[in-house]
Amino acid sequence: MDYFSWQDGTLHAEEMRVSELAERFGTPLYLYSRAALERRYQAFDEAFGDHPHRIFYAVKANSNLAVLNLLARQGSGFDIVSGGELERVLRAGGTPDDIVFSGVGKTDEEIETAVRAGIHCFNVESAEELDRIQHIGREQDRVAPVALRVNPDVDARTHPYISTGLRENKFGVAIEDAPALYKKAAKASHLEVLGVDCHIGSQLMELGPYEDAVQRVLALVDRLTQEGMVIRHLDLGGGLGVQYENQVPPTPEDYVATLLRHVPRDMPVHIEPGRSIAAEAGIFVTRVLYLKPTDQRNFAIVDGAMNDLIRPSLYGAWQEIVPITPHDADCRQWDLVGPVCETGDFLGKDRTLALEAEDLLAVRAAGAYGFAMASNYNARNRPAEVLVDEDQAFLVRRRETIEDQLQLESRLP
Ligand code: LLP
């Protein structure tokens, strides 16, 4: 079911008119659907049936407190990559045992905080990091639970910036080096080996590479088991793609069925989906400021820009852009560009739309890596975020003000 749909000729978020929300909260604006978020989480959860599993939502996709809190209420765990995300999860109602900590560059301070908090598991990405966690564990006289993130050297066949499972990428430890490191970890006084972890990339549109990675990880688990180690979970990462354009991604059911085909019945599985839970649960709403047809291109200048939603500029990502209340003006090809002073500032190019000034547009599937990647470039205030629950709307992050931006800065005396 789609929680953003047209009723009476105008786009609704659940039961609310997007145009009214745009009036009430202003634009540009992120709008999320509670039901969509919960439904996507449940789709993964149900797909596992009675296979022991845990879902650790990848916080980086959308770390708004209300979003995290709704997922915590569903029973979700959280995959974090910074001390900031750790704090967000705890403040949103997650517990330390709900947290796994990934990331290639954990600082001492972040490791200290996470060890002290007693998180569920560190996904360790290098030999040096393993030593550092052991050292900090000893200092605190606490045993830190670890999994090694292995790099299986498979090509996820996705955008190069978000492909992580190739030997040439900075992530994880080479799968061939893992047995020696596991031995070392098993002997360390302040480490407890819990599992094996792997994540090969994001926006995966085919499951073949993922299946390859799962098989390579399972071969490693066999070897470790033969060597006498006990592996208590497999963390198979996130990465399932969503539909931005016409290409149809596998469903959560396909994704889970693919991995369960290979994993032994009694082996608990963890996954870390981010985008596939949050993306389709959100839209980005922007208003046309000016229409500027030229000999070369027709520009529709909108109030949302690359600082608010950077995916089109950064990855050349295509996201569907739809009019919120379609009307009968002439259809033309438009480049939808923002006010930021860069030619790379666009939300979409060559879109066939009937547009007039002040029209509202929605960029779809913007709930993941949308607000989370927003910045203050050009001293623009980041947008408000609103969460819709049936016929109610909650402002879950107010629009920034220039005072918010300036309060961290000072002039010389
Ligand atoms: N686990 C780890 C260790 C990750 O690095 C990531 C994403 C995930 C889980 C979640 O992946 P997902 O299920 O969301 O695909 N900003 C980019 C995406 C970056 C993904 C980084 N890592 C974009 O907008 O496409």
Side-chain angles (χ1 to χ4, degrees), residues 9-268:
T10 189
L11 188 67
H12 283 60
E14 300 198 14
E15 293 164 28
M16 306 200 72
R17 287 168 177 263
V18 172
S19 56
E20 285 178 17
L21 296 171
E23 288 300 330
R24 184 159 141 207
F25 297 105
T27 55
L29 176 69
Y30 278 97
L31 270 186
Y32 309 128
S33 150
R34 173 180 185 166
L37 269 173
E38 294 179 342
R39 187 60 219 127
R40 293 292 285 187
Y41 173 83
Q42 289 157 4
F44 279 106
D45 195 34
E46 287 161 14
F48 277 100
D50 58 5
H51 192 106
H53 66 279
R54 279 202 79 178
I55 298 164
F56 293 87
Y57 165 71
V59 173
K60 62 170 80 73
N62 183 327
S63 59
N64 182 283
L65 283 188
V67 169
L68 299 181
N69 172 256
L70 285 182
L71 291 168
R73 291 195 222 177
Q74 292 288 309
S76 185
F78 299 94
D79 169 49
I80 61 163
V81 290
S82 71
E85 290 189 350
L86 173 63
E87 198 55 43
R88 280 182 173 271
V89 170
L90 297 177
R91 300 231 192 150
T95 70
D97 189 50
D98 296 327
I99 295 172
V100 295
F101 194 169
S102 305
V104 289
K106 303 176 187 79
T107 65
D108 283 2
E109 197 187 341
E110 289 173 325
I111 296 171
E112 281 157 17
T113 310
V115 171
R116 198 170 305 113
I119 63 162
H120 186 73
C121 194
F122 285 90
N123 289 334
V124 179
E125 305 227 12
S126 65
E128 286 203 16
E129 184 192 329
L130 198 64
D131 291 343
R132 200 68 68 81
I133 297 174
Q134 152 70 10
H135 177 77
I136 290 170
R138 185 187 295 131
E139 273 179 355
Q140 292 191 13
D141 197 21
R142 286 189 167 89
V143 173
V146 294
L148 282 187
R149 174 169 178 182
V150 296
N151 183 324
D153 197 26
V154 300
D155 182 355
R157 298 203 278 271
T158 183
H159 191 285
Y161 288 6
I162 54 176
S163 179
T164 59
L166 281 172
R167 204 190 296 271
E168 69 203 50
N169 302 136
K170 68 179 174 183
F171 298 97
V173 299
I175 198 158
E176 312 78 58
D177 300 342
L181 271 183
Y182 268 103
K183 256 189 209 143
K184 189 171 165 197
K187 285 198 205 116
S189 56
H190 289 78
L191 299 178
E192 182 192 13
V193 172
L194 281 196
V196 179
D197 170 47
C198 178
H199 170 81
I200 61 167
S202 195
Q203 185 56 10
L204 309 179
M205 294 304 278
E206 40 180 327
L207 291 173
Y210 187 68
E211 194 164 11
D212 270 4
V214 170
Q215 287 174 297
R216 288 180 199 197
V217 167
L218 283 168
L220 171 66
V221 172
D222 281 347
R223 173 156 174 205
L224 297 175
T225 311
Q226 278 159 21
E227 291 175 6
M229 237 165 290
V230 182
I231 297 301
R232 292 204 247 134
H233 74 244
L234 285 188
D235 182 336
L236 297 171
L240 178 62
V242 300
Q243 182 164 16
Y244 288 115
E245 215 163 341
N246 301 328
Q247 213 189 347
V248 181
T251 62
E253 292 76 15
D254 300 334
Y255 176 87
V256 172
T258 299
L259 65 91
L260 290 188
R261 258 204 299 284
H262 302 281
V263 177
R265 285 265 335 130
D266 55 348
M267 174 64 83

Side-chain angles (χ1 to χ4, degrees), residues 184-372:
K184 189 171 165 197
K187 285 198 205 116
S189 56
H190 289 78
L191 299 178
E192 182 192 13
V193 172
L194 281 196
V196 179
D197 170 47
C198 178
H199 170 81
I200 61 167
S202 195
Q203 185 56 10
L204 309 179
M205 294 304 278
E206 40 180 327
L207 291 173
Y210 187 68
E211 194 164 11
D212 270 4
V214 170
Q215 287 174 297
R216 288 180 199 197
V217 167
L218 283 168
L220 171 66
V221 172
D222 281 347
R223 173 156 174 205
L224 297 175
T225 311
Q226 278 159 21
E227 291 175 6
M229 237 165 290
V230 182
I231 297 301
R232 292 204 247 134
H233 74 244
L234 285 188
D235 182 336
L236 297 171
L240 178 62
V242 300
Q243 182 164 16
Y244 288 115
E245 215 163 341
N246 301 328
Q247 213 189 347
V248 181
T251 62
E253 292 76 15
D254 300 334
Y255 176 87
V256 172
T258 299
L259 65 91
L260 290 188
R261 258 204 299 284
H262 302 281
V263 177
R265 285 265 335 130
D266 55 348
M267 174 64 83
V269 174
H270 295 174
I271 55 168
E272 302 168 351
R275 186 193 320 264
S276 50
I277 289 180
E280 288 167 5
I283 59 174
F284 176 64
V285 182
T286 183
R287 193 183 283 282
V288 176
L289 296 174
Y290 302 101
L291 293 178
K292 188 169 164 181
T294 72
D295 293 346
Q296 304 283 323
R297 322 273 310 168
N298 297 320
F299 296 107
I301 298 152
V302 299
D303 63 3
M306 66 187 289
N307 74 295
D308 304 307
L309 178 65
I310 202 174
R311 300 194 71 259
S313 304
L314 185 59
Y315 312 112
W318 192 98
Q319 293 190 217
E320 190 182 6
I321 302 176
V322 292
I324 282 170
T325 311
H327 53 66
D328 300 331
D330 285 344
C331 261
R332 288 194 195 192
Q333 299 272 106
W334 293 100
D335 285 356
L336 300 153
V337 301
V340 162
C341 296
E342 299 224 16
T343 300
D345 175 28
F346 60 90
L347 297 178
K349 287 186 174 170
D350 286 322
R351 303 300 174 93
T352 308
L353 291 164
L355 288 185
E356 286 172 353
E358 299 195 18
D359 277 358
L360 287 167
L361 297 167
V363 183
R364 304 199 70 148
Y369 306 112
F371 186 90

